[in-house]
Amino acid sequence: MPDKGYTLATGDSGAYRLQILNAIHQPYSEFLLKRAGLSPGMQVADIGCGTGNVSFLIASKVGINGSVCGVDISEAQLDIARSQAKNLNLDNVTFTEGSAYDTGLPKESFDLVYCRFMLIHLNRPIEALIEMKSLLKPGGLLVCEEADFSKAFCQPSAKVYDICYEMLIGLASSRGQNFCLGIELYDIFNHAGFVNPEISFIQPVVTRENKRLIDMSLMEARNALIEAQLTDSHEVDKIISQMTELALDNTTLFGIPRVTQIWSRRVMSKE
Ligand SMILES: C[S@@+](CC[C@H](N)C(=O)[O-])C[C@H]1O[C@@H](n2cnc3c(N)ncnc32)[C@H](O)[C@@H]1O
């Protein structure tokens, strides 16, 4: 069955949201990649790279003797990534269109394959992990970060915040996707043939303007939510405006989705 596809905006319409997302997550991703073993000279693939934010971080770490290849299914995302790479004068990063199930990248060629916040948008995440595994050299590292929307919270608690996440989770499940996949990632790694993965959980708490991430996401999902008959235009617009208000309220703290960080080596003898 073909995938239902990505529900949020791509290209210019989604780039600012991904920038906020990256501003929040980059320190955690950087720490994870270092802990997993990212080092100068590595050949790396970033699957579902979006506008390239993590690809650029990785490119700066692998240096001139290393390289990064970002893959995304959306040309609109890749156009932004390519122009950003040019602005940043990065010669060791390239971007190519492809599906996570069939990237078109050469097999057994990468020291590290990475993906962040992409598997939750897929109908068959295990198949994507098997493709990623095939890209790794023997002993190469797979590093993933994936969200669990069910763990998001607002402090002080706010009904509209919970409703917003329930809607997004419902939207994913109506499309055969899973916005709570983070908790299943250990299991999924095992099913994809990774032995004894390393794992940790992180949960960023967000203040000030970064809290707009949530109403922006809801706005991008608005039409898909209506199409899925999970809401109507009147209700969803009211929720979006209440979420904006909640984000602009200096006294609220947003605990955004908990993230599973997981990494493992490709061990050929166990396959
Ligand atoms: C939430 S964005 C994350 C982007 C990036 N990894 C980051 O953390 O900034 C998810 C990305 O996955 C891409 N995507 C969705 N389904 C895909 C698929 N089947 N194959 C490759 N990319 C896909 C989308 O186009 C989007 O750019």
Side-chain angles (χ1 to χ4, degrees), residues 3 5-11 17-19 21-22 25 29 46-55 71-78 96-103 114-124 128 145-146 177:
D3 260 28
Y6 187 56
T7 27
L8 301 180
T10 55
R17 182 184 54 81
L18 284 183
Q19 207 177 304
L21 184 83
N22 191 55
H25 286 279
S29 299
D46 177 11
I47 312 299
C49 62
T51 53
N53 291 320
V54 190
S55 309
V71 177
D72 202 280
I73 205 159
S74 157
E75 266 297 344
Q77 303 287 65
L78 296 173
T96 169
E97 188 185 348
S99 156
Y101 301 116
D102 182 12
T103 56
Y114 174 81
C115 75
R116 184 174 82 175
F117 309 148
M118 185 214 34
L119 296 169
I120 57 169
H121 298 287
L122 303 185
N123 290 69
R124 292 165 283 130
E145 298 191 73
E146 211 42 89
Q177 302 160 356

Side-chain angles (χ1 to χ4, degrees), residues 168-189:
L168 293 171
I169 290 168
L171 176 61
S173 76
S174 76
R175 300 165 70 89
Q177 302 160 356
N178 183 0
F179 281 2
C180 307
L181 190 81
I183 191 64
E184 293 174 25
L185 214 48
Y186 193 79
D187 211 26
I188 290 176
F189 257 56

Side-chain angles (χ1 to χ4, degrees), residues 242-256:
Q242 287 175 346
M243 281 300 295
T244 307
E245 232 176 87
L246 197 67
L248 294 173
D249 177 346
N250 286 332
T251 67
T252 60
L253 176 70
F254 287 4
I256 58 171

